[in-house]
Amino acid sequence: MHVKVYTSMLISIVSFFLLSCTNSNGRESSFSWQIAEGSRIIVKLSRHPYSEALISRLTEFEELTGIDVEYTVAREDLYYEDLDKSMSARRTRPDVFMTGAYHIWGYASRGIVENLDSYIQSSSLTDVRYDSTDFYDGIITSLRWDPGNEELGTGPLLALPMGFELNTLAYNKRIFDELGLEAPETYDELLELCSILKEYNGPGSYPIALRGTRDWSSIHSAYMTAYTAFGAEDFKLNDQGILEPAIDSPESLAMNRYWVDLVRKGATPSRETQNWYEVGFALGDGRSAMMFDADIVAYFQNIPGYSKEAGNIAWAPPPVVNRGDVKKSNMWIWSLAMHSEARNKTAAWLFIQYFTSREFQLWAALEQNSVNPPRRSVFEDPQLQEMLSLSEGYTETFNALIKTSKIQFTPRKDVMELTDIWAAGVQKMILEPDSRIDQVLKELKTEMQRTASGNEKD
């Protein structure tokens, strides 16, 4: 099937580029993929299946446009440190860079991110078939922000999406079927399952894989999804109209008490070393019966030959507090952004346009397992739906969440620093007695507020 799909995709892409000289009404357009021929751009990428797909098509992009691309790739845990250092460096400053939505708030606050609206609207710079309205609303809205605004969705378009993640419950359906279990609908049911699944596969096996590292990444995934489900907020306006951390609210206290219980009853004692990769491996090799994390990390484990439990993994939406509550997830979005001081902005835009186009993203999804595609037409493509049907519950879970999910954080330039502090507080709550959770949250609020206030003065 893949040879046939690949051939049809090449024909589609060639047709796309041949047709790029005319618009939908058949009239001539001034757009050309060669308008920046002879240019050179620097691109920085984080290691990820999305960037691997991009790299695999760089030669085609360079041949099409005549643009020379110099790129570097770094592991995600090292990537942002390297990117931060290079953003102001004249020689190594990237023209285009891969970024998560949270990180871009800091760069936008410094004025070093280009607004992409004028590029999309230009008939000489953008192919008429690009169709930016094809992106899911919750994704494209999350990439618009005016620095200083406490809401997303207004202001300049800071980036365009490569792909995104929803936080879902993935589980080993082989184990569940053997034990006569069903995916939980509520958080209480999830906790009950943890008691049933303790050492389900002997010593060393455990009910659920959860991130737990002492940094922002352990906050934004399952934790923030559950935090939102309990009705808690990260920041809230106080009586004086000042935005302050709401980490000590009754809703946050209820959620954190639950989370501590979930971790103690269901997660591995080595949770504090588990990040994206480790939670996926734990589900894939059968050490954990469930995983509460990004839907796509479990998807990779379900690819035939990729893991011991490939073919046995299924998906369900994240639990809710009460049956009937709206199912929703916090969202992570990998995107491409342009530096406001890019050496050749036309060449940089062509790069972003090519690698966020429908044609490329469909090819990447079918041939490189680049799920989730941020374009509606790509996700709904019959070929992709046929491929996703091999992963039980994946499409159904996606459809249950896509209209209600978004980035749940209050956008701030210092969100990464504050969530690092938050993650340390969560670790402290897990290690201390239950009676201390309330006090730890109050201490955490004070520390976050002190840091946030100091950053506002800078």
Side-chain angles (χ1 to χ4, degrees), residues 250-425:
E251 295 83 3
S252 174
L253 178 58
M255 181 272 170
N256 279 287
R257 282 176 172 162
Y258 174 87
W259 192 257
V260 168
D261 203 15
L262 179 66
V263 169
R264 290 175 179 169
K265 291 181 178 178
T268 174
S270 62
R271 172 182 169 273
E272 291 184 5
T273 65
Q274 285 196 322
N275 208 320
W276 155 285
Y277 300 103
E278 288 78 19
V279 294
F281 294 150
L283 182 67
D285 66 19
R287 276 178 294 141
S288 70
M290 298 180 286
M291 184 202 78
F292 190 2
D293 207 278
D295 51 0
I296 67 171
V297 70
Y299 181 86
F300 301 139
Q301 296 294 323
N302 207 42
I303 297 170
Y306 194 94
S307 76
K308 176 184 174 183
E309 295 295 336
N312 292 328
I313 298 173
W315 284 259
V320 291
V321 175
N322 301 299
R323 287 179 182 270
D325 287 354
V326 174
K327 296 180 174 68
K328 56 187 175 181
S329 164
N330 188 42
M331 190 180 284
W332 171 265
I333 308 168
W334 274 119
S335 302
L336 291 174
M338 186 193 307
H339 199 294
S340 60
E341 296 183 11
R343 296 162 185 81
N344 189 312
K345 293 184 178 181
T346 297
W349 167 244
L350 290 177
F351 182 93
I352 293 173
Q353 180 181 175
Y354 182 97
F355 288 109
T356 59
S357 68
R358 179 189 186 278
E359 285 66 25
F360 170 76
Q361 292 190 344
L362 179 56
W363 174 85
L366 294 173
E367 298 301 324
Q368 301 285 318
N369 292 303
S370 288
V371 294
N372 298 320
R375 286 180 172 272
R376 186 179 294 101
S377 66
V378 175
F379 185 80
E380 294 175 354
D381 185 90
Q383 296 173 99
L384 181 57
Q385 284 299 305
E386 180 183 352
M387 191 171 83
L388 294 178
S389 68
L390 302 176
S391 293
E392 184 176 317
Y394 194 90
T395 295
E396 294 80 0
T397 298
F398 182 101
N399 288 332
L401 296 174
I402 189 60
K403 291 182 180 179
T404 58
S405 300
K406 62 179 182 177
I407 290 177
Q408 303 287 353
F409 288 104
T410 300
R412 296 179 58 92
K413 66 179 182 180
D414 54 2
V415 67
M416 309 315 300
E417 184 179 2
L418 293 175
T419 45
D420 281 349
I421 295 170
W422 195 343

Side-chain angles (χ1 to χ4, degrees), residues 44-46 74-89 92 94 98 103 107 110 216 334 416:
K44 284 194 171 291
L45 303 169
S46 176
R75 253 178 28 204
E76 185 177 354
D77 57 343
L78 304 174
Y79 174 66
Y80 285 106
E81 181 179 354
D82 177 63
L83 181 61
D84 288 343
K85 290 178 180 177
S86 67
M87 290 298 266
S88 301
T92 60
M98 188 170 167
H103 295 79
Y107 301 134
R110 290 162 54 188
W216 64 272
W334 274 119
M416 309 315 300

Side-chain angles (χ1 to χ4, degrees), residues 151-208:
E151 297 286 342
L152 293 172
T154 61
L157 180 63
L158 302 175
L160 283 165
M162 306 169 72
F164 69 105
E165 302 160 13
L166 296 167
N167 292 291
T168 64
L169 194 72
Y171 60 97
N172 190 317
K173 63 178 181 177
R174 176 180 64 81
I175 298 298
F176 271 54
D177 288 346
E178 288 176 2
L179 297 176
L181 303 175
E182 295 183 356
E185 289 192 34
T186 68
Y187 280 101
D188 285 343
E189 290 174 3
L190 176 59
L191 206 57
E192 290 173 9
L193 279 177
C194 288
S195 297
I196 297 171
L197 289 165
K198 185 174 182 179
E199 295 191 335
Y200 67 95
N201 197 29
S205 64
Y206 52 93
I208 188 166

